[in-house]
Amino acid sequence: MIEESPVNDDPAKPTRNRLTILKQHWPFLVILPVYFAITLNYSFNVPVWEAPDEPAHFAYTHHIKTRGGPPIQSFEEGQNQVETGHHPPLYYYLAAAVALPLDVTDFHRARPNPYFSFANNDGGVNRFDHENESTAYPNTLAAVQLMRLISTLFGAGTLLIIYLSGLTLFGGKGWEWAMGGRLPALLATVIVATLPQFNFLSAAANNDNAVIFFCAFTLYLCLRLILLPPGGAEMAGKERTWPFFALIGLVVGLGLLSKYNEVVYIPLVGLALGVAAWKQRSWLYFWKSSFISGGVCVAIAGWWFLRSQLLYGDPAGWGMWRSSFRSIEQDDKFQLTWQFLNHTWSRWFNSFWGYFGWFNLPLEPEVYKWLARLSAIIGLGIIGLVLTLVAGGLDRKYPVLNPINMKIGGYDRRTGAGLLFCGLAIALVVISAFNYAVTFGDAGTQGRYLFPAIVPLALVFSSGLAWLLGLVRLLAVPGNVYKTGGWILVSAWLIGFSWLNLHAVNDIIGPAYLPLTLIKEKYVVKNLPPNAIKPPKRPRFQPAMQLEGYTLDPPHRTKIKPGKLKVTLYWRNMNQKPMKDNWVSYTQLASSSQVLDRNDGPPGGGLYQTFKWQPGELIKDERTFHLQDWQLDQLNKYNDTLKIYLGWARSPDWSRATLPDGSNGITIDWQS
């Protein structure tokens, strides 16, 4: 007689279990669509090629599609058609498979912007010319969008791993008050799901999101290895079966085939295996688990490192890589100074939160100041949690501390061990990123190089914020006020950073890549406005920039107040054919003795450079200055004049444009 399964005694039980899971974790299912909405908004509004290294990442995919395998790189700089050919190939094979139905031979029609410079934005922030690209290479555009979608899906997978890692880390007794640890887990997830730089990166064709996902997965498996699942009360030490160790090897191997950043997690895996073996009091456990996970990892990724050894003389091709980028290598010039550390930290901080385009479209300075304040608050929470953990370790010796620990929450062995492990992961990634910054200078000081530690960073950030929320419990407030506060915190972060992402797309990225037709509508006019002042002799800078007139705001010197002043210049292109050079206007606000402010750059808000001007066009060029209180006081005290000094210089050699009399500038007096 066959016994009936207990499950069949209650057919509704699986349904009830699923409903319970849905009831507990539905907020994650809300966060995920928000992430997709934000990221796809970037994907559809950031022009193709206008994310770091996107053309090179597509070139790698194109090489696989057309030639059947990864490129073989040269040690000589400038000789590699695929600049990212040193990277492992997993992401590019996935991209080639997804784009398989598309004929991407039209890739050669993509037109780089010949005036683009990493030194400044005078030639435009756009790395490529986007006029008529939808008809010039439609298949390539479609393929790039598919590659971007792969990145977006990897990003979604990272969010799932963050949430699961949070449930694992915060599942102990110290966080029972915080919905059994779900609150800090949700907070960690929403931090990354709405992080502008992560959304921007997840909307770009690159291999960063792949390795970020596998680094996240590796950390999660390590946490599962050393900590009990959510709901347990003690450290792990249970026997694991070989499929679990094989899964660790598989994930690490796939990470190594995505990008070399996964290497920093290998010692963490060894540490996690060692902790588990120590709890089993068995070295055999350690060697068996290491052999299984290491063997699978080598089977997955070993061939790539062997290939690099045979082709380039080292397993990672590091020597070839550095040789092919020797012009930007900084090792021989490096000096560890406070100036270097401050510069690196500033670039890391800004581009961790949000820095777009080819590292040439920042958020406003005031936004970074607010983000710095938010980071300081998070830092205070982290410090408080660390002190709580230390105090919790002392509560047996000093019993007076125990009631405080239990009220605030956060202390248990799981939290302490897990956060220590996260701290080690962060430290290793920071060391790796710092080494890259030392080697390649500014090219290596990008916040995305810290993203392999995005999961431990998010967990540490959320634990600090949740600890601050737990302070409310010291006030002995009635009911679940602290839980309500948790929901408010998660919701406020979700809404606030969603708005910041919309602002980045609509107010920073969108205007920077306006189509030429819209730029002309804004900056090319038919006639001077009625209030325009016409110079007695219309000065003409060679080769063809003639000042037809200008307006001042405010119009008279006596009405000037501290704050914003604006001059609008009207230039006519006197050439019979379009200009080829990129002339940059330098415009200075000055008194009789000193420059008070300046606004240099290409005309038309930096969007309508002279190489776009057509014969006979009249171009409106607005320049804004800021006059300080003390400057105006000095002007009034000495009855000094206020002037605008104008000139032109050609980028990139900065030779001055001259007037017929041989001078290279003119002065406009602000009328009294």
Side-chain angles (χ1 to χ4, degrees):
M1 181 176 178
I2 301 176
E3 294 186 12
E4 292 184 1
S5 169
V7 176
N8 293 331
D9 292 336
D10 186 2
K13 186 176 181 180
T15 301
R16 288 201 301 270
N17 289 340
R18 287 193 290 268
L19 290 175
T20 300
I21 293 173
L22 182 62
K23 182 178 179 181
Q24 289 180 335
H25 305 294
W26 66 264
F28 175 79
L29 300 179
V30 173
I31 294 172
L32 199 59
V34 173
Y35 159 78
F36 276 113
I38 293 173
T39 305
L40 292 175
N41 192 34
Y42 279 104
S43 183
F44 296 145
N45 286 283
V46 176
V48 164
W49 318 131
E50 300 304 338
D53 301 324
E54 196 168 57
H57 289 302
F58 181 79
Y60 199 140
T61 302
H62 181 267
H63 192 282
I64 289 177
K65 274 182 62 67
T66 56
R67 303 193 183 183
I72 297 176
Q73 300 296 88
S74 169
F75 281 77
E76 295 298 320
E77 188 168 19
Q79 298 301 309
N80 291 317
Q81 293 183 351
V82 181
E83 291 183 358
T84 55
H86 55 278
H87 284 304
L90 177 62
Y91 174 79
Y92 309 105
Y93 273 114
L94 288 174
V98 170
L100 189 61
L102 296 171
D103 178 7
V104 293
T105 54
D106 56 1
F107 176 44
H108 71 279
R109 296 176 188 158
R111 301 180 302 275
N113 175 8
Y115 302 96
F116 179 85
S117 171
F118 286 106
N120 54 59
N121 294 337
D122 292 340
V125 298
N126 53 303
R127 189 77 191 272
F128 276 70
D129 181 0
H130 300 291
E131 292 302 313
N132 303 315
E133 63 182 359
S134 60
T135 56
Y137 46 99
N139 287 344
T140 291
L141 292 179
V144 174
Q145 289 294 345
L146 289 174
M147 292 177 67
R148 289 180 168 188
L149 183 58
I150 294 174
S151 296
T152 301
L153 293 175
F154 270 122
T158 299
L159 296 182
L160 176 60
I161 296 299
I162 292 173
Y163 185 60
L164 294 176
S165 299
L167 294 177
T168 301
L169 177 62
F170 302 117
K173 62 182 180 181
W175 300 98
E176 290 176 353
W177 64 272
M179 298 188 298
R182 294 195 302 279
L183 174 59
L186 282 172
L187 189 54
T189 307
V190 80
I191 287 173
V192 178
T194 57
L195 181 64
Q197 193 66 34
F198 183 79
N199 295 117
F200 174 73
L201 192 66
S202 298
N206 62 69
N207 59 348
D208 287 295
N209 290 93
V211 76
I212 291 167
F213 169 76
F214 287 115
C215 287
F217 206 163
T218 303
L219 182 82
Y220 169 64
L221 293 175
C222 288
L223 291 176
R224 294 284 297 181
L225 188 63
I226 65 174
L227 309 175
L228 275 180
E234 298 178 357
M235 295 295 294
K238 293 184 178 181
E239 181 69 45
R240 301 280 181 171
T241 58
W242 71 264
F244 183 84
F245 302 125
L247 178 61
I248 293 176
L250 174 65
V251 171
V252 174
L254 292 175
L256 292 172
L257 282 182
S258 299
K259 203 173 182 180
Y260 293 122
N261 304 72
E262 177 74 30
V263 169
V264 300
Y265 277 83
I266 293 178
L268 292 172
V269 170
L271 177 61
L273 294 175
V275 169
W278 174 71
K279 293 193 170 296
Q280 288 288 334
R281 303 297 192 269
S282 170
W283 281 110
L284 178 62
Y285 182 94
F286 175 76
W287 293 117
K288 181 179 72 171
S289 59
S290 299
F291 178 79
I292 295 173
S293 58
V296 173
C297 177
V298 170
I300 295 293
W303 68 273
W304 175 259
F305 292 89
L306 178 61
R307 174 185 183 272
S308 296
Q309 178 68 44
L310 295 175
L311 288 175
Y312 311 122
D314 67 83
W318 180 247
M320 172 275 297
W321 184 13
R322 295 180 63 173
S323 177
S324 62
F325 288 95
R326 64 170 60 93
S327 64
I328 63 172
E329 189 172 321
Q330 303 289 319
D331 265 1
D332 57 339
K333 308 172 187 176
F334 173 70
Q335 291 183 340
L336 185 61
T337 63
W338 282 113
Q339 182 180 5
F340 173 82
L341 292 175
N342 182 64
H343 178 72
T344 300
W345 166 254
S346 176
R347 286 174 62 89
W348 270 357
F349 179 86
N350 291 350
S351 58
F352 176 87
W353 290 102
Y355 216 120
F356 312 105
W358 285 78
F359 215 78
N360 52 13
L361 289 175
L363 294 165
E364 296 87 344
E366 191 61 33
V367 173
Y368 290 121
K369 290 179 182 178
W370 279 105
L371 291 171
R373 297 182 186 112
L374 176 61
S375 301
I377 293 172
I378 294 173
L380 288 175
I382 294 170
I383 292 172
L385 178 58
V386 170
L387 293 177
T388 300
L389 292 169
V390 173
L394 297 174
D395 61 6
R396 291 183 181 178
K397 190 173 182 181
Y398 304 102
V400 69
L401 294 173
N402 190 53
I404 297 177
N405 293 337
M406 290 302 99
K407 283 187 176 181
I408 295 176
Y411 170 70
D412 55 51
R413 297 179 65 194
R414 172 178 298 188
T415 304
L419 289 179
L420 179 60
F421 197 83
C422 288
L424 289 174
I426 294 169
L428 290 176
V429 172
V430 169
I431 291 171
S432 173
F434 186 78
N435 177 66
Y436 196 73
V438 167
T439 304
F440 292 111
D442 279 353
T445 54
Q446 299 181 42
R448 63 189 173 105
Y449 297 134
L450 301 175
F451 280 11
I454 196 69
V455 174
L457 282 168
L459 294 174
V460 171
F461 287 2
S462 68
S463 65
L465 287 171
W467 182 88
L468 288 173
L469 184 64
L471 288 176
V472 177
R473 304 177 76 222
L474 285 176
L475 304 177
V477 293
N480 292 331
V481 172
Y482 47 89
K483 292 183 180 179
T484 303
W487 284 113
I488 293 174
L489 180 59
V490 171
S491 301
W493 193 292
L494 184 68
I495 295 171
F497 275 84
S498 295
W499 174 87
L500 183 58
N501 279 286
L502 286 174
H503 167 68
V505 172
N506 296 334
D507 302 324
I508 295 176
I509 295 173
Y513 301 112
L514 280 177
L516 186 58
T517 53
L518 295 181
I519 294 174
K520 285 191 172 188
E521 287 180 8
K522 189 173 183 179
Y523 296 109
V524 178
V525 298
K526 292 183 178 180
N527 301 296
L528 292 174
N531 63 332
I533 302 170
K534 298 179 181 179
K537 294 182 179 180
R538 292 176 294 181
R540 176 175 174 177
F541 290 86
Q542 297 298 327
M545 297 82 72
Q546 179 169 291
L547 183 64
E548 295 286 334
Y550 58 90
T551 62
L552 302 172
D553 184 17
H556 300 290
R557 165 76 169 78
T558 55
K559 295 184 178 181
I560 289 178
K561 298 179 180 179
K564 186 172 72 171
L565 308 179
K566 186 173 73 172
V567 57
T568 304
L569 309 166
Y570 293 88
W571 299 96
R572 191 176 297 279
N573 178 15
M574 301 302 292
N575 254 10
Q576 298 301 312
K577 55 184 179 180
M579 286 189 283
K580 294 183 179 179
D581 291 327
N582 183 25
W583 292 93
V584 176
S585 173
Y586 54 90
T587 314
Q588 301 172 355
L589 179 70
S591 65
S592 60
S593 59
Q594 63 179 324
V595 175
L596 304 175
D597 196 12
R598 62 191 306 150
N599 189 333
D600 304 336
L607 297 174
Y608 200 48
Q609 295 88 345
T610 56
F611 56 81
K612 299 176 183 177
W613 290 11
Q614 296 301 309
E617 284 184 336
L618 184 62
I619 294 92
K620 180 175 69 172
D621 184 24
E622 296 179 348
R623 303 282 167 162
T624 301
F625 305 98
H626 291 274
L627 187 66
Q628 305 295 324
D629 290 17
W630 67 269
Q631 293 173 329
L632 183 59
D633 290 342
Q634 291 292 314
L635 290 170
N636 293 333
K637 180 179 180 180
Y638 297 103
N639 196 26
D640 205 348
T641 58
L642 190 63
K643 302 178 179 182
I644 303 293
Y645 183 73
L646 304 175
W648 291 86
R650 181 172 55 194
S651 177
D653 62 9
W654 304 114
S655 57
R656 296 291 185 89
T658 59
L659 293 159
D661 62 2
S663 62
N664 54 29
I666 62 172
T667 300
I668 296 174
D669 289 322
W670 212 292
Q671 301 179 58
S672 55

